[in-house]
Amino acid sequence: MAVFLFLAVMFAIANFYYWAFRIPLKTYKLFIIFFIVISLIAVITDPYNLPEIIIVFSGYYTLLFGVHLLLIQVFQVNRYFPYLFVFFLISLLVTAFFGVLMQDIFNYS
């Protein structure tokens, strides 16, 4: 069930990044708006742990946005299905890396 949920969320994020951030000039402006919206959602979700929640949510989505920029601008993967496949693979690594990093920083048990 967790794998299905992860794949569904990554599919939604990959589609959002692929379709919303296609034009390079608008990419950074839209990302700033997206970053602010994600930070506000994080604040509304848990107002008692603000620094931790903002770092975790916005940092994770910033890393995924970096994956998007890497795929679109550096590797120039502009076709939809290869983009989704490579985004899934890299997002799995990003999720594992970011989870371990946050456990180390915030000392989760």
Side-chain angles (χ1 to χ4, degrees):
M1 182 67 179
V3 172
F4 177 72
L5 183 63
F6 173 77
L7 289 177
V9 169
M10 285 305 122
F11 180 74
I13 291 172
N15 277 309
F16 177 72
Y17 284 158
Y18 185 80
W19 296 112
F21 298 122
R22 299 271 313 188
I23 302 169
L25 296 176
K26 290 184 179 179
T27 298
Y28 300 109
K29 292 177 188 175
L30 285 173
F31 180 69
I32 291 171
I33 294 169
F34 178 66
F35 186 81
I36 292 169
V37 168
I38 289 296
S39 298
L40 289 175
I41 290 171
V43 168
I44 291 169
T45 316
D46 189 10
Y48 301 109
N49 297 325
L50 287 181
E52 180 179 343
I53 295 297
I54 289 174
I55 289 171
V56 170
F57 272 103
S58 58
Y60 181 67
Y61 290 109
T62 303
L63 280 176
L64 289 179
F65 183 73
V67 168
H68 167 73
L69 288 181
L70 187 73
L71 291 176
I72 294 293
Q73 293 182 353
V74 176
F75 296 127
Q76 297 177 350
V77 180
N78 292 322
R79 298 189 56 160
Y80 180 68
F81 290 112
Y83 173 84
L84 281 179
F85 180 72
V86 175
F87 189 88
F88 280 146
L89 292 178
I90 296 176
S91 68
L92 182 65
L93 293 173
V94 165
T95 302
F97 167 75
F98 197 74
V100 169
L101 182 67
M102 289 301 106
Q103 285 181 357
D104 188 41
I105 290 175
F106 293 115
N107 295 324
Y108 291 140
S109 56

